[in-house]
Amino acid sequence: MSKNPSLVSQINKNRIPEHIAIIMDGNGRWAKRKGHLRIFGHQHGVGAVRQVLEAGVEVGVKYLTLYAFSTENWNRPIIEVNALMELLVDTIEKEIPTFMENGVRLKVIGNQEQLPEKCRNQLAEAMEITANNDTLTLILALSYSGRWDIMEAVKKIAVQVKEGILSPEEITEKHMDLGLDTAEYPNPDLLIRTSGEMRISNFLLWEIAYSEIYFTPVLWPDFTKDDFYRAIIDFQGRERRFGKTSEQIA
Ligand code: FPP
């Protein structure tokens, strides 16, 4: 339950964003402020993941994409990378019963080939077990970057052109949409970034063309259901014009 029931009641249940994407930032700073190692922040970040997942199910969000590990994160100290991979494996294993109880289907985007075998196996198992759940799809972006995904989509198109299946003049946005790891999901309606940083950091570059963006200074481990509801309420107060005028969409 929300600590602030009036916040949930402010949400218009008929205009829930279908897809929310989150850049979960600030774990390291949160830990440092408390005099701990960065991994302590990541461990507490799992609690915030649970909060947004529960809140998403409660209000009827259909897709939730979490930026859990970027292509660039491989450059972090090996001790942090290993600890993060282990945390992911442990968390996914532990959370499978909760996913089943709440109808959560797990999916992954990103270069899975780069992930440790144990992590790949755990993800494959969790995706198989949860494959028929249809309340909410949780998409973890792992070893993911928007530019990497765009490059992969371009390569697929180039192969089709080379094989004579497609001519350059026939290429449309749809070909790009279908070549991306996110092909089967709608574009995010709302993108949230925590920790006060105002960057996109190579996340879903193609897909967020018309997403509403919400920045909050809250560090990820402190992010609660109420913060999630605040982002949805803010989103609902905006006018999405998709390049048109206000009059055209009225
Ligand atoms: C960014 O904070 C956070 C990450 C790179 C990792 C996020 C991972 C988790 C919250 C665990 C996820 C678990 C599951 C199951 C999805 P940062 O380290 O960049 O923080 P800083 O900017 O303060 O240094």
Side-chain angles (χ1 to χ4, degrees):
M1 274 298 285
S2 163
K3 285 208 187 89
N4 185 349
S6 64
L7 268 183
V8 196
S9 65
Q10 284 172 43
I11 294 179
N12 176 354
K13 293 277 160 54
N14 300 316
R15 261 200 71 203
I16 299 294
E18 184 184 19
H19 184 173
I20 300 183
I22 308 183
I23 302 175
M24 311 181 287
D25 195 16
N27 293 350
R29 275 164 284 165
W30 185 90
K32 211 170 155 196
R33 279 180 202 173
K34 292 187 160 14
H36 290 282
L37 295 174
R38 298 174 56 81
I39 187 63
F40 185 73
H42 299 316
Q43 285 160 349
H44 281 263
V46 174
V49 170
R50 238 178 253 125
Q51 291 262 312
V52 295
L53 194 54
E54 265 182 46
V57 168
E58 273 167 28
V59 299
V61 171
K62 296 305 286 181
Y63 299 89
L64 186 65
T65 301
L66 303 180
Y67 206 4
F69 195 87
S70 73
T71 309
E72 291 75 24
N73 286 155
W74 289 115
N75 299 321
R76 291 197 173 190
I78 185 75
I79 188 162
E80 184 176 345
V81 170
N82 289 343
L84 259 171
M85 290 298 147
E86 215 145 282
L87 182 63
L88 268 165
V89 174
D90 286 357
T91 307
I92 289 157
E93 191 179 6
K94 274 197 207 120
E95 295 299 322
I96 292 177
T98 323
F99 292 167
M100 296 312 286
E101 277 160 35
N102 292 285
V104 173
R105 174 173 72 136
L106 182 74
K107 287 286 196 177
V108 176
I109 54 171
N111 189 355
Q112 286 186 66
E113 283 170 25
Q114 280 189 313
L115 299 171
E117 198 185 347
K118 200 172 156 196
C119 192
R120 279 203 312 266
N121 292 342
Q122 184 58 66
L123 287 166
E125 189 190 328
M127 285 193 279
E128 198 185 317
I129 296 173
T130 62
N132 295 321
N133 292 344
D134 61 3
T135 303
L136 182 148
T137 300
L138 171 65
I139 305 154
L140 293 185
L142 286 170
S143 190
Y144 171 88
S145 83
R147 285 185 177 179
W148 166 82
D149 206 14
I150 289 171
M151 256 171 37
E152 292 301 308
V154 169
K155 283 186 209 164
K156 286 176 202 160
I157 295 172
V159 170
Q160 291 181 50
V161 171
K162 190 177 166 199
E163 289 174 353
I165 303 165
L166 191 66
S167 73
E169 298 74 32
E170 285 168 341
I171 299 169
T172 63
E173 285 191 11
K174 200 79 209 146
H175 291 98
M176 283 296 293
D177 289 340
L178 292 174
L180 295 167
D181 256 15
T182 51
E184 59 181 296
Y185 318 118
N187 288 330
D189 302 288
L190 172 62
L191 170 69
I192 300 172
R193 182 173 190 145
T194 60
S195 92
E197 305 287 350
M198 299 199 189
R199 283 189 295 274
I200 299 302
S201 298
N202 216 348
F203 190 41
L204 301 172
L205 297 179
W206 176 270
E207 298 86 343
I208 59 164
Y210 284 101
S211 304
E212 294 297 325
I213 305 184
Y214 179 86
F215 296 106
T216 167
V218 176
L219 300 178
W220 180 250
D222 286 333
F223 196 82
T224 62
K225 282 185 179 186
D226 282 347
D227 293 310
F228 189 69
Y229 297 145
R230 272 186 203 102
I232 295 178
I233 292 163
D234 188 274
F235 166 86
Q236 292 184 332
R238 301 189 194 184
E239 180 185 63
R240 301 187 78 196
R241 291 196 296 277
F242 300 96
K244 296 182 179 170
T245 66
S246 287
E247 291 70 29
Q248 282 176 303
I249 53 165

